[in-house]
């Protein structure tokens, strides 16, 4: 039976070697990981038969490598850009911190968790073509520290996107600058899909294609995702899915149009990219993915009217010459309410708490809605109880 080297890859990329284990041990590990209720997920190395990784929610990555397998470089260096007509030369390679081809979009998302050494690929092959985003799913659980575990796996198999996102925790991880190429797509023949367009920002989202990660997910409550969208939009990526919404998975998939992919900007699913055969990310809700915060309309504040100010106005305005005002703004609010109640003629709603307003307010106090006051209690001078009743009916706040 095959023997395996067993190791644990930690979130900081350090490795703890655990010795050799048997094929039976690895088979048992895979069987446990296959149980839906188990908080781990097993994946095979895509290019090394027999090499197995187990993703754990604590962020560690269990790694089983067949004894006697050829040693390999964990992450091969990305090849240099081709030197050909229409493609960048070595002189076009960007310097760290400088924008590509004069653009000034966001290269590193503030607050994103750095993963790896920050170097993935290089300059784009077709920077004159429109910018785009490619959406992937990791086919793994979400939550916990799966972001770190999956991030370690993607580095080990040399398949890093620029970004990885957890829809449960709203955490964002970043492997490399957004204006340089990623490594999560297969080439379409001789054409390097990872280097297509002004930018080709690839996002791996923790989740499964068969159960779209946008279900039950509210982008309005996810500032991490909003940062991702802001960064994407800073490079001019249109808020459209030019190949249509990603297809339901599992299913027949979609045609992968080269002309749409190469010459239209916007958002694509992995399922839309020529030269690739994956069906992710599944039928995600594109309206949620392209979330726009709606303009917030501030709630109108209710004006405040003070009983003390009204009483002072009644005592000063009444004896004074016609048109005298003491607290005209607050008095006018009350007068307009009395007009609406049919107790004061509109022409007397002038901000002066004169005899007409006093009489109208006394009528309000005597009314059933105003409190059914009688005698001296209905003297036309506002009290807090009667004013609160008037305020409740006419949209202002009564204060002492």
């Amino acid at each position: 039976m095959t023997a395996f080297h067993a190791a644990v890859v930690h979130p900081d990329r350090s490795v703890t070697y655990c010795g050799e284990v048997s094929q039976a041990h690895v088979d048992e590990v895979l069987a446990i990981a296959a149980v839906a209720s188990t908080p781990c997920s097993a994946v095979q190395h895509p290019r090394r038969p027999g090499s197995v990784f187990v993703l754990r929610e604590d962020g560690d990555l269990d790694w089983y490598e067949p004894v006697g397998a050829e040693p390999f470089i964990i992450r091969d260096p990305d090849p240099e850009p081709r030197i050909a007509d229409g493609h960048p030369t070595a002189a076009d390679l960007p310097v760290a911190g400088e924008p590509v081809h004069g653009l000034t979009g966001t290269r590193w998302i503030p607050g994103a968790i750095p993963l790896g050494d920050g170097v993935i690929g290089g300059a784009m092959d077709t920077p004159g073509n429109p910018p785009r985003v490619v959406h992937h799913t990791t086919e793994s659980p979400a939550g916990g520290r799966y972001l770190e575990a999956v991030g370690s796996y993607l580095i080990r198999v040399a398949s890093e996107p620029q970004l990885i996102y957890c829809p449960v925790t709203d955490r964002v991880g970043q492997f490399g600058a957004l204006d340089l190429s990623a490594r999560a797509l297969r080439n379409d023949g001789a054409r390097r899909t990872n280097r297509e367009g002004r930018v080709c920002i690839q996002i791996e989202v923790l989740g499964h294609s068969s159960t779209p990660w946008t279900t039950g997910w509210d982008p309005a409550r996810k500032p991490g995702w909003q940062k991702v969208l802001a960064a994407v939009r800073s490079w001019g990526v249109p808020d459209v899915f030019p190949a249509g919404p990603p297809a339901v998975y599992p299913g027949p998939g979609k045609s992968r149009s080269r002309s749409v992919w190469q010459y239209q900007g916007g958002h694509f699913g992995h399922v839309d990219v020529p030269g690739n055969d994956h069906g992710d990310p599944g039928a995600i809700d594109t309206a949620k993915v392209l979330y726009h915060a709606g303009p917030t309309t501030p709630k109108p504040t209710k004006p405040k009217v003070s009983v003390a100010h009204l009483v002072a106005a009644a005592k000063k305005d009444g004896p004074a010459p016609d048109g005298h005002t003491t607290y005209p703004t607050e008095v006018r609010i009350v007068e307009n309410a009395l007009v609406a109640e049919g107790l004061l003629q509109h022409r007397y709603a002038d901000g002066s708490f004169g005899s007409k307003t006093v009489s109208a307010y006394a009528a309000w106090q005597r009314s059933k809605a105003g409190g059914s006051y009688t005698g001296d209690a209905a003297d036309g001078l506002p009290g807090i109880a009667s004013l609160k009743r008037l305020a409740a009916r006419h949209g202002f706040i009564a204060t002492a």
Side-chain angles (χ1 to χ4, degrees), residues 13 39 80 120 126 156 205 215 218 220 252 254 274 282 311 317 322 370:
R13 298 185 68 199
E80 288 293 314
I120 308 175
T126 56
R156 299 283 157 178
V205 178
T215 302
D218 182 4
K254 301 169 64 178
V311 172
D317 294 346
D322 288 347

Side-chain angles (χ1 to χ4, degrees), residues 277-338:
D277 59 6
H278 288 205
D280 57 319
I284 56 176
D285 185 329
T286 57
K288 286 185 176 181
V289 170
L290 301 177
Y291 170 74
H292 276 277
T296 56
T297 303
K299 293 183 179 179
T301 57
K302 293 182 178 181
K304 294 181 179 180
V305 176
S306 162
V307 167
H309 289 174
L310 294 181
V311 172
K315 291 181 177 180
K316 292 181 180 180
D317 294 346
D322 288 347
H324 183 275
T325 59
T326 305
Y327 293 102
T329 300
E330 294 172 80
V331 170
R332 191 172 288 110
I333 291 170
V334 171
E335 288 176 327
N336 288 337
L338 295 172

